[in-house]
Each structure stands twice: as C-alpha cells, then as structure tokens.
Amino acid sequence: MKKLITHVLIMFTFILFAKNIYSQIQFFDSVRVLASSDNYSYKNPVFDNHNNLINQEGLIVYERHSSSSSSYIMIRKYNYTGYLTEVSLTGNSGFLNINPSYTNNIIVWQSNASGNWDLYYSLNNNGWSAPELLDSASSDDTSPYIY
C-alpha cells in the first residue's frame, strides 16, 4: 500500500508541474503531408545529411517513375511544416534515371539515356545546373555514391 501511495504522489507531482511540455513541435505529428502519389512510383529517397540549423530546412532527392522504362530525378525541400514543390532535375525522360546520391551542393545519378549506364551530375549554385555527363565510358557506370 505504501508503494502505491508513493507512485500516486509521484504521478500527481508530474501532472501538476509538467504543463506545456512537448516532445516535438506542437503541431508536428498532427499535420500530415502527402509525400507520394497514385500517379507515380517514388523510389530511393536520399535525405540531406548536412543539417541547416539556421533555417531548419533540408533537401530530399528521389526517383519518380512514370513507367517501367521512364524515371526522373526529383528534388524537394522540406521543413517542419511540410514539403515545398517538387522540381524535376532531369526534365522529360524516355529512359531511366536512378540511384541518386546527394551531398552539399551536388547530386549524382545513373542514367541509360545513351544506351548504357552512365553517371550524370548537377550542381547547385543558387539553382540547379542542367545535368552534365560525368563519364561516358563504353562500360556501364552504376551505383554512384558521394559523401
């Protein structure tokens, strides 16, 4: 009985003094943002691993597949309140752009636009540059990774 009274007093103390304490931002769990679509298949997301503590924003890079033979590399900023509009880095596509890798201001991915797998990149200097071919070897270049 003594143990029960002690537990009740401890719980009462927590309830009495623990007002307005949140484990996260107040509305963080109550706001739902759709990050996918019924029209496309989204794969291989890569999140910004260089936290911007001033703006509390990040970047997510991913594949958006419109068919089994066509995909785009997409970029989308996010913050605590949701996602911004997605931007297609690769434009219109009749080929696969897959396996994005992202760090700081560069994104690298593989594409079969030239008939075999080649690596492409884009740089961010106040806006993303047009995709540039990184290597045009006759052999397949796959699985890019930068850190």
Side-chain angles (χ1 to χ4, degrees):
M1 185 67 170
K2 187 176 180 181
K3 196 173 189 179
L4 177 64
I5 293 173
T6 304
H7 282 99
V8 169
L9 286 175
I10 290 172
M11 292 299 292
F12 179 73
T13 304
F14 278 116
I15 292 170
L16 184 65
F17 294 107
K19 293 182 180 178
N20 298 324
I21 296 175
Y22 302 102
S23 63
Q24 296 180 353
I25 294 177
Q26 182 177 0
F27 302 109
F28 187 75
D29 288 335
S30 62
V31 177
R32 295 184 183 201
V33 177
L34 183 63
S36 64
S37 163
D38 291 335
N39 300 326
Y40 301 103
S41 175
Y42 294 96
K43 298 179 182 178
N44 296 330
V46 179
F47 289 87
D48 182 1
N49 59 358
H50 297 86
N51 295 329
N52 184 346
L53 298 177
I54 296 170
N55 296 327
Q56 297 296 321
E57 292 182 342
L59 190 72
I60 181 173
V61 180
Y62 52 92
E63 304 167 19
R64 184 177 79 180
H65 291 257
S66 55
S67 71
S68 62
S69 61
S70 180
S71 65
Y72 307 84
I73 300 297
M74 305 300 290
I75 305 166
R76 182 177 273 193
K77 284 187 178 181
Y78 63 90
N79 58 29
Y80 284 120
T81 59
Y83 293 98
L84 279 64
T85 304
E86 65 181 1
V87 176
S88 175
L89 187 60
T90 54
N92 291 334
S93 173
F95 38 85
L96 291 172
N97 296 288
I98 60 173
N99 294 331
S101 181
Y102 167 73
T103 189
N104 289 333
N105 293 322
I106 185 170
I107 298 173
V108 179
W109 67 94
Q110 73 184 64
S111 176
N112 66 352
S114 63
N116 67 322
W117 292 109
D118 292 318
L119 300 182
Y120 287 80
Y121 71 94
S122 181
L123 300 173
N124 186 2
N125 187 10
N126 294 322
W128 289 97
S129 67
E132 295 283 334
L133 183 62
L134 183 65
D135 184 17
S136 62
S138 60
S139 61
D140 286 340
D141 299 315
T142 60
S143 303
Y145 179 76
I146 53 177
Y147 57 95

